[in-house]
Amino acid sequence: MKKNKSSIAYQCKIFDVWEEEFDLPNGKTTRQSWINHNPTVAIIAVNENNELLLIKQYRNAVKKNLLEIPAGSMDGIEETPAVCAQRELAEETGFKAKALIKLFEGYLLPGYCNEYMHFFLALDLVSAPLTPDEDEFIEIMPVSFAEAHKLIEKGEIIDAKTVLGITLADNYIQRMNLCD
């Protein structure tokens, strides 16, 4: 596809909104908006009791508290996904992982956003609290995998990255027989 014109319509800390005109395969020209987003991480943390550490936090975009796995944006190109995962885990749960296993990576919303997320399973957690971001007010909720699946079925976990992360981690753990 040939790009004709592009311009930034809006910029903030973690993403830019672009307006772009480009040629389609049929020769027509179209204009679309898309979001250029910093790469992100999502962490499925499992404690010594084989419980997932879910977090409950208010999400203004949907005007409600959501149950999620810890996640966040990478701080520039110098921060690797694994370093970001450890930082976000410490900020949001107070733990770091002795074992960090990459489960998956890919685009979240490629129809209008280039956000690329790295999913990690965090095991052998040790206390290592970092100060959370000033706009984060988080409640940690340890739940078993069985409880997490029930919360998904009941519609109490409705964040797609969280559902994907729980599924990926559960599948990995079952394959590797890591938990009872």
Side-chain angles (χ1 to χ4, degrees), residues 17 23 26 32 34 38 55 73 86 97 105 112-113 116 124 129 135 139 143 158 167:
V17 178
D23 296 333
N26 64 2
Q32 290 185 356
W34 63 277
N38 290 347
I55 59 174
S73 294
Q86 292 282 21
E105 62 182 80
Y112 63 88
C113 183
Y116 196 82
D124 299 325
D135 63 345
E139 178 184 346
V143 299
I158 55 173
T167 302

Side-chain angles (χ1 to χ4, degrees), residues 42-46 52 69-70 103 119-123 145 165-166 168-169:
I43 308 99
I44 307 88
V46 180
L52 297 161
I69 54 178
L103 296 174
F119 287 80
F120 291 93
L121 175 60
L123 302 170
F145 276 95
I166 291 168
L168 290 166

Side-chain angles (χ1 to χ4, degrees), residues 52-91:
L52 297 161
L53 297 184
L54 295 179
I55 59 174
K56 183 178 181 180
Q57 65 180 328
Y58 181 76
R59 294 300 197 177
N60 190 55
V62 296
K63 307 295 188 246
K64 62 173 80 173
N65 285 305
L66 294 181
L67 287 175
E68 303 176 52
I69 54 178
S73 294
M74 292 170 57
D75 287 341
I77 59 172
E78 67 282 346
E79 186 175 48
T80 67
V83 168
C84 180
Q86 292 282 21
R87 178 180 53 77
E88 288 292 341
L89 182 62
E91 287 175 2

Side-chain angles (χ1 to χ4, degrees), residues 18 22 25 36 47 74 86 88 90 107 118 129 133 138 140 146 153-154 173 176:
W18 285 82
F22 59 95
N36 181 38
N47 68 16
M74 292 170 57
Q86 292 282 21
E88 288 292 341
Y107 293 104
H118 303 263
D133 292 339
I138 293 171
I140 301 167
E153 289 169 11
K154 292 179 355 188
I173 287 169
M176 298 300 179

